[in-house]
mmCIF file with all atom_site columns, all heavy atoms in Angstrom:
data_model
loop_
_atom_site.group_PDB
_atom_site.id
_atom_site.type_symbol
_atom_site.label_atom_id
_atom_site.label_alt_id
_atom_site.label_comp_id
_atom_site.label_asym_id
_atom_site.label_entity_id
_atom_site.label_seq_id
_atom_site.pdbx_PDB_ins_code
_atom_site.Cartn_x
_atom_site.Cartn_y
_atom_site.Cartn_z
_atom_site.occupancy
_atom_site.B_iso_or_equiv
_atom_site.pdbx_formal_charge
_atom_site.auth_seq_id
_atom_site.auth_comp_id
_atom_site.auth_asym_id
_atom_site.auth_atom_id
_atom_site.pdbx_PDB_model_num
ATOM 1  N N   . VAL A 1 74 ? 10.383 21.763 48.712 1.00 94.00 ? 289 VAL A N   1
ATOM 2  C CA  . VAL A 1 74 ? 10.821 20.512 49.126 1.00 94.00 ? 289 VAL A CA  1
ATOM 3  C C   . VAL A 1 74 ? 10.527 20.233 50.612 1.00 94.00 ? 289 VAL A C   1
ATOM 4  O O   . VAL A 1 74 ? 10.117 19.164 51.112 1.00 94.00 ? 289 VAL A O   1
ATOM 5  C CB  . VAL A 1 74 ? 12.258 20.208 48.843 1.00 94.00 ? 289 VAL A CB  1
ATOM 6  C CG1 . VAL A 1 74 ? 12.808 18.951 49.405 1.00 94.00 ? 289 VAL A CG1 1
ATOM 7  C CG2 . VAL A 1 74 ? 12.540 20.185 47.217 1.00 94.00 ? 289 VAL A CG2 1
ATOM 8  N N   . THR A 1 75 ? 10.843 21.226 51.427 1.00 95.00 ? 290 THR A N   1
ATOM 9  C CA  . THR A 1 75 ? 10.593 21.173 52.932 1.00 95.00 ? 290 THR A CA  1
ATOM 10 C C   . THR A 1 75 ? 9.058  20.997 53.109 1.00 95.00 ? 290 THR A C   1
ATOM 11 O O   . THR A 1 75 ? 8.709  20.115 53.998 1.00 95.00 ? 290 THR A O   1
ATOM 12 C CB  . THR A 1 75 ? 11.114 22.488 53.563 1.00 95.00 ? 290 THR A CB  1
ATOM 13 O OG1 . THR A 1 75 ? 12.373 22.607 53.181 1.00 95.00 ? 290 THR A OG1 1
ATOM 14 C CG2 . THR A 1 75 ? 10.847 22.292 55.054 1.00 95.00 ? 290 THR A CG2 1
ATOM 15 N N   . ASP A 1 76 ? 8.156  21.788 52.500 1.00 94.00 ? 291 ASP A N   1
ATOM 16 C CA  . ASP A 1 76 ? 6.769  21.547 52.686 1.00 94.00 ? 291 ASP A CA  1
ATOM 17 C C   . ASP A 1 76 ? 6.349  20.048 52.310 1.00 94.00 ? 291 ASP A C   1
ATOM 18 O O   . ASP A 1 76 ? 5.626  19.439 53.061 1.00 94.00 ? 291 ASP A O   1
ATOM 19 C CB  . ASP A 1 76 ? 5.961  22.540 51.841 1.00 94.00 ? 291 ASP A CB  1
ATOM 20 C CG  . ASP A 1 76 ? 5.938  23.976 52.325 1.00 94.00 ? 291 ASP A CG  1
ATOM 21 O OD1 . ASP A 1 76 ? 6.408  24.114 53.500 1.00 94.00 ? 291 ASP A OD1 1
ATOM 22 O OD2 . ASP A 1 76 ? 5.455  24.844 51.706 1.00 94.00 ? 291 ASP A OD2 1
ATOM 23 N N   . ILE A 1 77 ? 6.874  19.583 51.236 1.00 95.00 ? 292 ILE A N   1
ATOM 24 C CA  . ILE A 1 77 ? 6.554  18.316 50.759 1.00 95.00 ? 292 ILE A CA  1
ATOM 25 C C   . ILE A 1 77 ? 6.956  17.298 51.846 1.00 95.00 ? 292 ILE A C   1
ATOM 26 O O   . ILE A 1 77 ? 6.318  16.235 52.122 1.00 95.00 ? 292 ILE A O   1
ATOM 27 C CB  . ILE A 1 77 ? 7.006  18.092 49.295 1.00 95.00 ? 292 ILE A CB  1
ATOM 28 C CG1 . ILE A 1 77 ? 6.264  18.818 48.367 1.00 95.00 ? 292 ILE A CG1 1
ATOM 29 C CG2 . ILE A 1 77 ? 6.941  16.649 48.943 1.00 95.00 ? 292 ILE A CG2 1
ATOM 30 C CD1 . ILE A 1 77 ? 6.705  19.006 46.915 1.00 95.00 ? 292 ILE A CD1 1
ATOM 31 N N   . CYS A 1 78 ? 8.211  17.442 52.266 1.00 95.00 ? 293 CYS A N   1
ATOM 32 C CA  . CYS A 1 78 ? 8.805  16.499 53.286 1.00 95.00 ? 293 CYS A CA  1
ATOM 33 C C   . CYS A 1 78 ? 7.798  16.344 54.498 1.00 95.00 ? 293 CYS A C   1
ATOM 34 O O   . CYS A 1 78 ? 7.436  15.328 54.823 1.00 95.00 ? 293 CYS A O   1
ATOM 35 C CB  . CYS A 1 78 ? 10.046 17.029 53.767 1.00 95.00 ? 293 CYS A CB  1
ATOM 36 S SG  . CYS A 1 78 ? 10.780 16.111 55.196 1.00 95.00 ? 293 CYS A SG  1
ATOM 37 N N   . PHE A 1 79 ? 7.438  17.498 54.931 1.00 94.00 ? 294 PHE A N   1
ATOM 38 C CA  . PHE A 1 79 ? 6.392  17.465 56.084 1.00 94.00 ? 294 PHE A CA  1
ATOM 39 C C   . PHE A 1 79 ? 5.081  17.003 55.717 1.00 94.00 ? 294 PHE A C   1
ATOM 40 O O   . PHE A 1 79 ? 4.349  16.374 56.540 1.00 94.00 ? 294 PHE A O   1
ATOM 41 C CB  . PHE A 1 79 ? 6.448  18.747 56.817 1.00 94.00 ? 294 PHE A CB  1
ATOM 42 C CG  . PHE A 1 79 ? 7.745  19.184 57.438 1.00 94.00 ? 294 PHE A CG  1
ATOM 43 C CD1 . PHE A 1 79 ? 8.469  20.359 57.126 1.00 94.00 ? 294 PHE A CD1 1
ATOM 44 C CD2 . PHE A 1 79 ? 8.392  18.327 58.387 1.00 94.00 ? 294 PHE A CD2 1
ATOM 45 C CE1 . PHE A 1 79 ? 9.663  20.672 57.677 1.00 94.00 ? 294 PHE A CE1 1
ATOM 46 C CE2 . PHE A 1 79 ? 9.610  18.584 58.849 1.00 94.00 ? 294 PHE A CE2 1
ATOM 47 C CZ  . PHE A 1 79 ? 10.195 19.745 58.624 1.00 94.00 ? 294 PHE A CZ  1
ATOM 48 N N   . MET A 1 80 ? 4.621  17.347 54.561 1.00 94.00 ? 295 MET A N   1
ATOM 49 C CA  . MET A 1 80 ? 3.247  16.898 54.125 1.00 94.00 ? 295 MET A CA  1
ATOM 50 C C   . MET A 1 80 ? 3.047  15.467 54.039 1.00 94.00 ? 295 MET A C   1
ATOM 51 O O   . MET A 1 80 ? 2.103  14.895 54.363 1.00 94.00 ? 295 MET A O   1
ATOM 52 C CB  . MET A 1 80 ? 2.878  17.479 52.610 1.00 94.00 ? 295 MET A CB  1
ATOM 53 C CG  . MET A 1 80 ? 2.674  19.015 52.735 1.00 94.00 ? 295 MET A CG  1
ATOM 54 S SD  . MET A 1 80 ? 2.283  19.494 51.070 1.00 94.00 ? 295 MET A SD  1
ATOM 55 C CE  . MET A 1 80 ? 0.796  18.659 50.710 1.00 94.00 ? 295 MET A CE  1
ATOM 56 N N   . VAL A 1 81 ? 4.136  14.702 53.704 1.00 94.00 ? 296 VAL A N   1
ATOM 57 C CA  . VAL A 1 81 ? 4.020  13.280 53.565 1.00 94.00 ? 296 VAL A CA  1
ATOM 58 C C   . VAL A 1 81 ? 4.420  12.477 54.907 1.00 94.00 ? 296 VAL A C   1
ATOM 59 O O   . VAL A 1 81 ? 4.408  11.283 54.893 1.00 94.00 ? 296 VAL A O   1
ATOM 60 C CB  . VAL A 1 81 ? 4.959  12.653 52.379 1.00 94.00 ? 296 VAL A CB  1
ATOM 61 C CG1 . VAL A 1 81 ? 4.572  13.322 51.179 1.00 94.00 ? 296 VAL A CG1 1
ATOM 62 C CG2 . VAL A 1 81 ? 6.426  12.984 52.762 1.00 94.00 ? 296 VAL A CG2 1
ATOM 63 N N   . GLY A 1 82 ? 4.537  13.296 55.898 1.00 92.00 ? 297 GLY A N   1
ATOM 64 C CA  . GLY A 1 82 ? 4.749  12.589 57.248 1.00 92.00 ? 297 GLY A CA  1
ATOM 65 C C   . GLY A 1 82 ? 6.153  12.474 57.635 1.00 92.00 ? 297 GLY A C   1
ATOM 66 O O   . GLY A 1 82 ? 6.418  11.741 58.703 1.00 92.00 ? 297 GLY A O   1
ATOM 67 N N   . LEU A 1 83 ? 7.187  12.959 56.933 1.00 92.00 ? 298 LEU A N   1
ATOM 68 C CA  . LEU A 1 83 ? 8.576  12.816 57.352 1.00 92.00 ? 298 LEU A CA  1
ATOM 69 C C   . LEU A 1 83 ? 8.921  14.048 58.035 1.00 92.00 ? 298 LEU A C   1
ATOM 70 O O   . LEU A 1 83 ? 8.308  15.158 58.026 1.00 92.00 ? 298 LEU A O   1
ATOM 71 C CB  . LEU A 1 83 ? 9.454  12.619 56.178 1.00 92.00 ? 298 LEU A CB  1
ATOM 72 C CG  . LEU A 1 83 ? 9.171  11.476 55.292 1.00 92.00 ? 298 LEU A CG  1
ATOM 73 C CD1 . LEU A 1 83 ? 9.973  11.474 53.939 1.00 92.00 ? 298 LEU A CD1 1
ATOM 74 C CD2 . LEU A 1 83 ? 9.502  10.202 56.057 1.00 92.00 ? 298 LEU A CD2 1
ATOM 75 N N   . THR A 1 84 ? 9.874  13.852 59.073 1.00 91.00 ? 299 THR A N   1
ATOM 76 C CA  . THR A 1 84 ? 10.208 14.916 59.973 1.00 91.00 ? 299 THR A CA  1
ATOM 77 C C   . THR A 1 84 ? 11.597 15.587 59.785 1.00 91.00 ? 299 THR A C   1
ATOM 78 O O   . THR A 1 84 ? 11.856 16.515 60.457 1.00 91.00 ? 299 THR A O   1
ATOM 79 C CB  . THR A 1 84 ? 10.146 14.434 61.385 1.00 91.00 ? 299 THR A CB  1
ATOM 80 O OG1 . THR A 1 84 ? 11.003 13.293 61.568 1.00 91.00 ? 299 THR A OG1 1
ATOM 81 C CG2 . THR A 1 84 ? 8.670  13.971 61.794 1.00 91.00 ? 299 THR A CG2 1
#
Side-chain angles (χ1 to χ4, degrees):
V289 171
T290 304
D291 283 348
I292 290 172
C293 170
F294 294 123
M295 284 177 67
V296 298
L298 298 171
T299 56

